[in-house]
Amino acid sequence: MAENDHTPEQIRTWLVDRVAHYLDRPGTEIDPDTPLAEYGLDSVYTFALCGEIEDTLGLRVEPTLLWDVDTLNALIPHLAGMVAERSGR
Amino acid sequence: MLSGPLLDNALGDAARIAELDATAAFPAEQCAALDAAGLPAYYVPPEWGGKLDDHEVLLRLWRDVARRDLSTIVAHGKTYLGTACVWLAGSEDQASAVAKAVLGGVPAAWALSEPGHGADLLNGSLTATESADGWRLTGAKWPINNATRADLLTVLARTGTAGSARGQSLFLVDKSTLAPGTWQHRRKAATHGIRGVDISGIAFDGARADLLGAQGTGVETVLRALQLTRTMCGGLSLGAGEHALRLTGRFVSTRVIQRKPLIDRAQPRSVLARCAGLLAAAEAAALVGARSIHGLTGEMSVASAIVKSVVPALTDLVIADLTELLGARSYLTDVYEYGAFQKLARDHQIVSVFDGSTPVNRSALAQQFPRLARAYAAETVDGSGLAEAVDIGVRPSELDRGELVLASRNGCSVVQSLPGVVAALSEPELTAMARSLLAITAKVVGLMAEVRPAARPAMAAYELAAAYELCYVGAACLHLWTAENDVWLRVALHAVLTRLTAVLRMPAPEPVDHDPLAELVADAAMTGGAITPFGAGDSRGH
């Protein structure tokens, strides 16, 4: 994802792809309203995902964010909000 | 300030320590002596009246007790582990009360493990429920160091969904306030090593407990506290390794076979020096790790996993190799210094298991591979933090506990600074070894970048974690190298490279001259001089 591709839809496409990568299953099988932990990954996977969020979106996030905001449908607007706040939009 | 030699003198004689072990008796008089000497103050941060302002000091104090008796410090030191969460998450009132108790010699325990769940912190079944008059615990914790002796316990209990990171909370239990019938001890477990230590359990049935920190933050607080306690465990291994090296150094110096002491033969000299090199390497990693608590606080998720994994592992290698030199005396329980060697070997076996086993720590490191790989490629280095971490013996800045985060943002400055450290060297043999370390590190990090992060990492990830740990150790040796400690650190770096190439199935490095270090270590063992570059003399040890 390029630096300026940070719209909510672009974040969704990217994040679904990353979660699908960690879960090793197609993105279409991931229900955006199911807590990510319920897909059988320990909460520790959030360590890697939060690192990617920081590097790709340039946001400082703690792994605990993904413990508290734990579905794709909750996480995407949250991250989009952080991006918008940073850009002063 | 409390000194290590003062502490280890407080432990009494080796015959008594052997006797306690033989009968699996708790080292009560030894722990009482450590209390009287003032060690508990080093478990309590200064804001609550203690002296825990320098984790290098605590590491050294533990090492100096451990080199006399590992069992005693495993028993006594549990109070530090049992209260670490209180300083991170407790209220002012809770912290003050716990500090007062610890400073008064009250033992504490950290109740995490459960029968059937082990190290799986997310799936504990001991449950806390809230009622009108507060929280109540029901369920059992076992096996727990100090469960019976301790008056205070920090207990991880389920308050929400099993298996979720927010499903567990921490509680503080003061046994003296519990109603009769709401709790009972579980019998002490029989153990192979640390035989006298109180490895027992506790079962609750509606016992009252105080919530420690916000509901749902139990796992988070435990993971942050483990970054401190796992790093400090390095001191236990350093002490056991020093004990083993001194015992063996004295033996090979005095044992005469065919009119010639063992130390005058090539093989014992080389093994003794190699072991001293490995121990010096472990010491470098543990000291840099302990100082990183202050200088590189935000990187402790990496450093603590490395130190807890690699320092006991290197010490296990040292003990195994020295066994070869001691021969029968490594095994006999009543000859050669009261069978101290076989005792320390048994006692040390558990260090790589408790407070997060080696696989648990390697898994924790593997979770951070993507960040470590990117930060290595970017040569990210926290320069001032690193300078503080390698400035051995200098009083560090105050620890900001809020900076202990679950995942290091900067990766690992100690490893990422390797290219600069290598570039600054000039002596040919050392530079050649440092360059090979750098080349291997680049290779290891390149492989780490290709590992898919997963909750249950592939076997290759564990091997890479083991290799990366050794890169850290080698980097720590180079950071601490000076002309004065060259005799140790040259052999240390060589021993690390030998291990690293073995782990990666690569050709071994060119040999280095072991003789100068063999001489030094044999001499230190006989005279009580320091046996590692940053160690303390031992006036009683000969």
Side-chain angles (χ1 to χ4, degrees), chain B residues 470-519:
Chain B
L470 291 164
C471 297
Y472 181 98
V473 178
C477 289
L478 288 173
H479 278 295
L480 301 190
W481 182 88
T482 61
E484 289 71 40
N485 62 37
D486 175 81
V487 64
W488 271 292
L489 290 186
R490 187 176 296 263
V491 177
L493 185 58
H494 184 263
V496 170
L497 280 173
T498 304
R499 185 75 199 137
L500 190 50
T501 49
V503 167
L504 295 169
R505 301 171 196 90
M506 292 167 67
E510 294 293 315
V512 293
D513 183 7
H514 280 165
D515 270 351
L517 184 55
E519 291 285 338

Coordinates of all heavy atoms in Angstrom, one line a residue, chain B residues 470-519:
Chain B
L470 N 22.1 -15.6 19.9 CA 23.5 -15.7 19.9 C 24.2 -14.5 19.2 O 25.2 -14.0 19.6 CB 24.0 -17.0 19.3 CG 23.7 -18.3 20.1 CD1 23.8 -19.5 19.2 CD2 24.6 -18.4 21.3
C471 N 23.5 -13.9 18.2 CA 23.9 -12.7 17.6 C 23.9 -11.6 18.6 O 24.8 -10.7 18.7 CB 23.0 -12.3 16.4 SG 23.1 -13.5 15.1
Y472 N 22.9 -11.6 19.5 CA 22.8 -10.6 20.6 C 23.9 -10.7 21.5 O 24.6 -9.8 21.9 CB 21.4 -10.7 21.3 CG 21.2 -9.8 22.4 CD1 20.4 -8.6 22.2 CD2 21.7 -10.0 23.7 CE1 20.1 -7.7 23.3 CE2 21.4 -9.1 24.7 CZ 20.6 -8.0 24.5 OH 20.4 -7.1 25.5
V473 N 24.2 -12.0 21.9 CA 25.3 -12.2 22.8 C 26.7 -11.8 22.2 O 27.4 -11.1 22.9 CB 25.4 -13.7 23.2 CG1 26.6 -14.0 24.1 CG2 24.1 -14.2 23.8
G474 N 26.9 -12.1 21.0 CA 28.1 -11.7 20.3 C 28.2 -10.2 20.3 O 29.3 -9.6 20.5
A475 N 27.1 -9.5 19.9 CA 27.1 -8.1 19.9 C 27.4 -7.5 21.2 O 28.1 -6.5 21.4 CB 25.7 -7.5 19.3
A476 N 26.8 -8.1 22.3 CA 27.0 -7.6 23.7 C 28.5 -7.7 24.0 O 29.1 -6.8 24.6 CB 26.2 -8.4 24.7
C477 N 29.2 -8.8 23.6 CA 30.6 -9.0 23.9 C 31.4 -7.8 23.2 O 32.3 -7.3 23.8 CB 31.1 -10.3 23.3 SG 30.5 -11.7 24.2
L478 N 31.0 -7.5 21.9 CA 31.8 -6.5 21.2 C 31.5 -5.1 21.8 O 32.5 -4.3 21.9 CB 31.4 -6.5 19.7 CG 31.9 -7.7 18.9 CD1 31.3 -7.7 17.5 CD2 33.5 -7.7 18.9
H479 N 30.3 -4.9 22.3 CA 30.0 -3.6 22.9 C 30.8 -3.4 24.2 O 31.2 -2.3 24.5 CB 28.5 -3.5 23.2 CG 27.7 -3.1 22.1 ND1 27.8 -1.8 21.5 CD2 26.7 -3.7 21.4 CE1 26.9 -1.7 20.5 NE2 26.3 -2.8 20.4
L480 N 31.1 -4.5 24.9 CA 31.8 -4.4 26.2 C 33.3 -4.6 26.1 O 34.0 -4.5 27.1 CB 31.2 -5.5 27.2 CG 29.7 -5.3 27.5 CD1 29.3 -6.2 28.7 CD2 29.3 -3.9 27.8
W481 N 33.8 -5.0 24.9 CA 35.2 -5.3 24.7 C 36.0 -4.1 25.1 O 35.8 -2.9 24.6 CB 35.5 -5.8 23.3 CG 36.9 -6.1 23.1 CD1 37.4 -7.3 23.3 CD2 38.0 -5.3 22.7 NE1 38.8 -7.3 23.1 CE2 39.1 -6.0 22.7 CE3 38.0 -3.9 22.3 CZ2 40.4 -5.5 22.3 CZ3 39.3 -3.4 22.0 CH2 40.4 -4.2 22.0
T482 N 37.1 -4.3 25.8 CA 38.2 -3.3 26.1 C 39.5 -4.1 26.0 O 39.5 -5.3 26.2 CB 38.1 -2.6 27.4 OG1 38.2 -3.7 28.5 CG2 36.7 -1.9 27.6
A483 N 40.6 -3.4 26.0 CA 41.9 -4.1 26.0 C 42.1 -4.9 27.3 O 42.7 -5.9 27.3 CB 43.0 -3.0 25.8
E484 N 41.5 -4.4 28.4 CA 41.6 -5.0 29.7 C 40.9 -6.4 29.8 O 41.4 -7.3 30.4 CB 41.1 -4.1 30.8 CG 42.0 -2.9 31.1 CD 41.9 -1.8 30.0 OE1 40.8 -1.6 29.5 OE2 42.9 -1.3 29.6
N485 N 39.7 -6.5 29.1 CA 39.0 -7.7 29.2 C 39.2 -8.6 28.0 O 38.5 -9.6 27.8 CB 37.5 -7.5 29.6 CG 36.8 -6.7 28.5 OD1 37.0 -6.9 27.3 ND2 35.9 -5.9 29.0
D486 N 40.1 -8.2 27.1 CA 40.3 -8.9 25.9 C 40.6 -10.4 26.1 O 40.0 -11.2 25.3 CB 41.5 -8.3 25.1 CG 41.9 -9.1 23.9 OD1 41.2 -8.9 22.9 OD2 42.8 -9.9 23.9
V487 N 41.3 -10.8 27.1 CA 41.6 -12.2 27.3 C 40.4 -13.0 27.4 O 40.3 -14.2 27.0 CB 42.6 -12.3 28.5 CG1 42.0 -11.9 29.8 CG2 43.1 -13.8 28.6
W488 N 39.3 -12.4 28.0 CA 38.0 -13.1 28.2 C 37.2 -13.0 26.9 O 36.7 -14.0 26.4 CB 37.2 -12.5 29.3 CG 37.4 -13.1 30.7 CD1 37.1 -14.3 31.1 CD2 37.9 -12.4 31.8 NE1 37.3 -14.5 32.4 CE2 37.9 -13.3 32.9 CE3 38.4 -11.1 32.0 CZ2 38.3 -13.0 34.2 CZ3 38.8 -10.8 33.3 CH2 38.8 -11.7 34.3
L489 N 37.0 -11.8 26.4 CA 36.0 -11.5 25.4 C 36.4 -12.1 24.0 O 35.6 -12.4 23.2 CB 35.6 -10.1 25.4 CG 34.8 -9.7 26.6 CD1 34.3 -8.2 26.5 CD2 33.6 -10.6 26.9
R490 N 37.7 -12.2 23.8 CA 38.2 -12.8 22.6 C 37.7 -14.3 22.5 O 37.2 -14.8 21.5 CB 39.7 -12.8 22.5 CG 40.3 -13.2 21.2 CD 41.8 -13.0 21.2 NE 42.1 -11.6 21.3 CZ 42.5 -10.8 20.3 NH1 42.6 -11.3 19.1 NH2 42.7 -9.5 20.5
V491 N 37.9 -15.0 23.6 CA 37.5 -16.4 23.7 C 36.0 -16.5 23.7 O 35.3 -17.4 23.2 CB 38.1 -17.1 24.9 CG1 37.6 -18.6 25.0 CG2 39.6 -17.1 24.8
A492 N 35.4 -15.5 24.4 CA 33.9 -15.5 24.5 C 33.3 -15.3 23.1 O 32.4 -16.1 22.7 CB 33.4 -14.3 25.4
L493 N 33.8 -14.4 22.3 CA 33.3 -14.2 21.0 C 33.5 -15.5 20.1 O 32.6 -15.9 19.4 CB 33.9 -13.0 20.3 CG 33.4 -12.6 19.0 CD1 31.9 -12.2 19.1 CD2 34.2 -11.3 18.5
H494 N 34.6 -16.1 20.3 CA 34.9 -17.3 19.6 C 33.9 -18.4 20.0 O 33.4 -19.1 19.1 CB 36.4 -17.7 19.8 CG 36.8 -18.9 19.0 ND1 36.7 -20.2 19.5 CD2 37.2 -19.1 17.7 CE1 37.1 -21.1 18.6 NE2 37.4 -20.4 17.5
A495 N 33.7 -18.5 21.3 CA 32.7 -19.5 21.7 C 31.3 -19.3 21.2 O 30.6 -20.2 20.8 CB 32.7 -19.6 23.3
V496 N 30.9 -18.0 21.1 CA 29.6 -17.7 20.6 C 29.5 -18.0 19.1 O 28.6 -18.6 18.6 CB 29.3 -16.2 20.8 CG1 28.1 -15.7 20.0 CG2 29.2 -15.9 22.3
L497 N 30.6 -17.7 18.4 CA 30.6 -18.0 16.9 C 30.6 -19.5 16.7 O 30.0 -20.0 15.7 CB 31.9 -17.4 16.3 CG 31.8 -15.9 15.9 CD1 33.2 -15.5 15.4 CD2 30.8 -15.7 14.9
T498 N 31.3 -20.3 17.5 CA 31.3 -21.7 17.4 C 29.9 -22.3 17.6 O 29.4 -23.1 16.8 CB 32.3 -22.3 18.5 OG1 33.6 -21.8 18.3 CG2 32.4 -23.8 18.3
R499 N 29.2 -21.7 18.6 CA 27.8 -22.2 18.9 C 26.9 -21.7 17.7 O 26.1 -22.5 17.3 CB 27.4 -21.5 20.2 CG 26.1 -21.9 20.7 CD 26.1 -23.3 21.3 NE 24.8 -23.8 21.4 CZ 24.4 -25.1 21.1 NH1 25.3 -25.9 20.7 NH2 23.2 -25.4 21.2
L500 N 27.1 -20.5 17.3 CA 26.2 -20.0 16.2 C 26.4 -20.8 14.9 O 25.4 -21.1 14.3 CB 26.6 -18.5 16.0 CG 25.7 -17.6 15.2 CD1 24.2 -17.7 15.6 CD2 26.2 -16.2 15.3
T501 N 27.6 -21.1 14.6 CA 27.8 -21.8 13.3 C 27.3 -23.3 13.5 O 26.7 -23.8 12.5 CB 29.3 -21.9 12.9 OG1 30.1 -22.3 14.1 CG2 29.8 -20.5 12.5
A502 N 27.3 -23.8 14.7 CA 26.8 -25.1 14.9 C 25.2 -25.1 14.8 O 24.7 -26.0 14.1 CB 27.1 -25.7 16.3
V503 N 24.6 -24.1 15.4 CA 23.1 -24.0 15.3 C 22.7 -23.8 13.8 O 21.7 -24.4 13.4 CB 22.6 -22.7 16.1 CG1 21.2 -22.4 15.8 CG2 22.8 -23.0 17.6
L504 N 23.5 -23.1 13.0 CA 23.1 -22.9 11.6 C 23.8 -23.9 10.7 O 23.6 -23.8 9.4 CB 23.6 -21.5 11.2 CG 22.9 -20.3 11.9 CD1 23.5 -19.0 11.7 CD2 21.4 -20.3 11.5
R505 N 24.5 -24.9 11.2 CA 25.1 -26.0 10.4 C 26.1 -25.4 9.4 O 26.1 -25.7 8.2 CB 24.1 -26.8 9.7 CG 23.1 -27.5 10.7 CD 21.9 -28.2 10.0 NE 20.9 -28.5 10.9 CZ 19.8 -27.7 11.2 NH1 19.8 -26.5 10.6 NH2 18.9 -28.0 12.1
M506 N 26.9 -24.4 9.9 CA 27.9 -23.8 9.1 C 29.3 -24.2 9.5 O 29.4 -24.7 10.6 CB 27.8 -22.3 9.2 CG 26.5 -21.7 8.6 SD 26.3 -20.0 9.1 CE 27.7 -19.2 8.3
P507 N 30.3 -24.0 8.7 CA 31.7 -24.4 9.2 C 32.1 -23.6 10.4 O 31.8 -22.4 10.5 CB 32.6 -24.0 8.0 CG 31.7 -23.8 6.8 CD 30.3 -23.4 7.4
A508 N 32.8 -24.2 11.3 CA 33.2 -23.6 12.6 C 34.3 -22.5 12.3 O 35.0 -22.6 11.3 CB 33.8 -24.7 13.5
P509 N 34.4 -21.5 13.2 CA 35.4 -20.5 13.0 C 36.8 -21.0 13.2 O 37.0 -22.1 13.8 CB 35.1 -19.5 14.1 CG 34.3 -20.2 15.2 CD 33.6 -21.4 14.4
E510 N 37.8 -20.3 12.7 CA 39.2 -20.6 13.0 C 39.5 -20.6 14.5 O 38.9 -19.8 15.2 CB 40.1 -19.5 12.4 CG 40.1 -19.4 10.9 CD 40.7 -20.6 10.2 OE1 41.8 -21.1 10.7 OE2 40.1 -21.2 9.3
P511 N 40.4 -21.5 15.0 CA 40.6 -21.6 16.4 C 41.3 -20.3 17.0 O 42.0 -19.6 16.2 CB 41.5 -22.8 16.6 CG 42.0 -23.1 15.2 CD 41.1 -22.5 14.2
V512 N 41.1 -20.0 18.2 CA 41.8 -18.9 18.9 C 42.6 -19.5 20.0 O 42.3 -20.7 20.5 CB 40.9 -17.8 19.5 CG1 40.2 -17.0 18.4 CG2 40.0 -18.3 20.5
D513 N 43.6 -18.8 20.5 CA 44.5 -19.3 21.6 C 43.8 -19.3 22.9 O 43.4 -18.2 23.4 CB 45.8 -18.4 21.6 CG 46.8 -19.0 22.7 OD1 46.5 -20.0 23.2 OD2 47.8 -18.3 22.9
H514 N 43.6 -20.5 23.5 CA 42.8 -20.6 24.8 C 43.7 -20.4 26.0 O 43.2 -20.3 27.1 CB 42.1 -21.9 24.8 CG 40.8 -21.9 24.1 ND1 40.1 -23.0 23.7 CD2 40.0 -20.9 23.6 CE1 39.0 -22.7 23.1 NE2 38.9 -21.4 23.0
D515 N 45.0 -20.5 25.8 CA 46.0 -20.6 26.9 C 45.9 -19.5 27.9 O 45.8 -19.7 29.1 CB 47.4 -20.8 26.4 CG 47.7 -22.3 26.3 OD1 46.9 -23.1 26.8 OD2 48.8 -22.7 25.8
P516 N 45.9 -18.2 27.4 CA 45.9 -17.1 28.4 C 44.7 -17.1 29.3 O 44.8 -16.9 30.5 CB 45.9 -15.9 27.5 CG 46.5 -16.3 26.2 CD 46.0 -17.7 26.0
L517 N 43.5 -17.5 28.7 CA 42.3 -17.5 29.6 C 42.3 -18.7 30.5 O 41.9 -18.6 31.7 CB 41.1 -17.5 28.7 CG 39.7 -17.4 29.5 CD1 39.7 -16.2 30.4 CD2 38.5 -17.4 28.5
A518 N 42.8 -19.8 30.1 CA 42.9 -21.0 30.9 C 43.8 -20.7 32.2 O 43.4 -21.0 33.3 CB 43.5 -22.2 30.2
E519 N 44.9 -20.0 31.9 CA 45.8 -19.6 33.0 C 45.1 -18.7 34.0 O 45.1 -18.9 35.2 CB 47.0 -18.8 32.5 CG 48.0 -19.6 31.7 CD 48.9 -20.5 32.6 OE1 49.0 -20.2 33.8 OE2 49.4 -21.5 32.1

